[in-house]
Amino acid sequence: MDQGERLLHSSSFGTAAAAYAEHRPDYARAAADWALERAPGPRVLDLGAGTGKLTAALVALGADVIAVEPDPAMLAELRRSLPAVRALSGRAEEIPLPTASVDAVLAGNAMHWFDMAVAGPEIARVLAPGGVLAGLWNVVDDHAEWVAGLAQVSGSAAIGPRDTPTGWRAETAGMHLPKTGGAARFGSPEQAGFPHGQRRTADSLVATLATRAGMLVMPERERAAVLDRIRVFLASRPETAHGEFTLPMLTSVLRVRRL
């Protein structure tokens, strides 16, 4: 994805902020715990915080959280749902915080949107020495046969190469981290995955997939055709045809420590 496509996709979420808040999954608590276990203190920046899905998990862990989000509609949803959290307008490439002011920077399904050539030095600037940078991604577990079928039917706009465990490991291995070298160096990246799941119905799973960036930028007729194809598939599977079911997922984490 080139710079123009990345900007188009990353700026699409505000048009569906309410649906994003309603339908996107939270994050496995064990994943957030692991992301923070080496942080030197409790001050955490949720960068590219969206509607606050990860922010809420960090608050529940007792972290001292600041949320930063560039999209006004997404930020409004975050402030509505988490009024006690300090939530600021800002971007990964220009973080509105002082130098060495946080012990960890976390990003939930957001780090792939950052321009790390610019954001990397900014993240290093706001991190205290020994601080942690971690990206968390919710991926569907395609070891389940019906989930693998769903991924095939949905196409890459809804379930892309980064949205399954094997694809995530290949796509994120160092790709979205700051470059080592320079004044602020980072250690070797670590990856881990934690079981997770989301209770869905066929309709609410379709609504969830409709909030993916590739779907939001798709022409309306094409988007409707893809969503109809997904509905037909879900109606054909015994796991998903009737009532609620659990969508098997992993919260996958990419973690690196500032040296």
Side-chain angles (χ1 to χ4, degrees):
M1 186 180 296
D2 63 25
Q3 178 74 0
E5 287 179 302
R6 187 171 71 229
L7 287 173
L8 176 65
H9 282 68
S10 65
S11 63
S12 66
F13 296 111
T15 61
Y20 193 107
E22 180 180 358
H23 294 294
R24 283 295 185 103
D26 60 4
Y27 294 85
R29 178 172 181 143
D33 270 331
W34 187 82
L36 293 175
E37 70 178 4
R38 299 179 65 190
R43 303 169 300 170
V44 181
L45 166 61
D46 184 1
L47 188 57
T51 63
K53 295 291 184 177
L54 179 57
T55 315
L58 297 172
V59 169
L61 290 175
D64 178 11
V65 187
I66 299 171
V68 169
E69 165 58 36
D71 187 277
M74 301 286 273
L75 187 60
E77 286 288 337
L78 189 156
R79 287 171 170 162
R80 180 189 60 77
S81 62
L82 297 167
V85 171
R86 183 184 176 199
L88 307 175
S89 177
R91 303 179 297 118
E93 296 78 12
E94 191 173 358
I95 301 170
L97 294 178
T99 297
S101 59
V102 296
D103 300 300
V105 174
L106 269 60
N109 277 81
M111 194 181 288
H112 50 279
W113 303 125
F114 301 167
D115 178 0
M116 272 300 178
V118 182
E122 267 291 89
I123 291 168
R125 179 185 66 80
V126 302
L127 269 175
V132 169
L133 167 65
L136 291 81
W137 285 264
N138 279 320
V139 300
V140 296
D141 189 353
D142 60 351
H143 291 100
E145 181 189 357
W146 75 265
V147 178
L150 174 66
Q152 286 188 323
V153 166
S154 300
S156 61
I159 300 179
R162 194 178 46 247
D163 299 324
T164 59
T166 300
W168 174 83
R169 283 190 291 271
E171 287 283 316
T172 63
M175 182 180 298
H176 303 301
L177 292 175
K179 302 301 181 186
T180 57
R185 298 186 65 248
F186 289 84
S188 299
E190 302 170 275
Q191 294 178 321
F194 300 85
H196 196 30
Q198 186 186 26
R199 292 296 289 173
R200 297 279 81 186
T201 64
D203 286 342
S204 63
L205 180 51
V206 170
T208 303
L209 296 175
T211 68
R212 304 306 299 260
M215 299 296 293
L216 292 172
V217 302
M218 189 178 286
E220 181 57 37
R221 181 174 295 182
E222 184 179 350
R223 181 172 181 267
V226 172
L227 294 177
D228 283 345
R229 191 165 68 237
I230 294 170
R231 287 189 188 94
V232 169
F233 173 82
L234 294 174
S236 75
R237 294 293 308 203
E239 301 92 340
T240 57
H242 306 289
E244 283 195 335
F245 54 86
T246 296
L247 174 65
M249 305 172 67
L250 296 172
T251 297
S252 297
V253 188
L254 180 66
R255 181 180 72 180
V256 67
R257 191 163 178 254
R258 189 192 191 285
L259 301 178

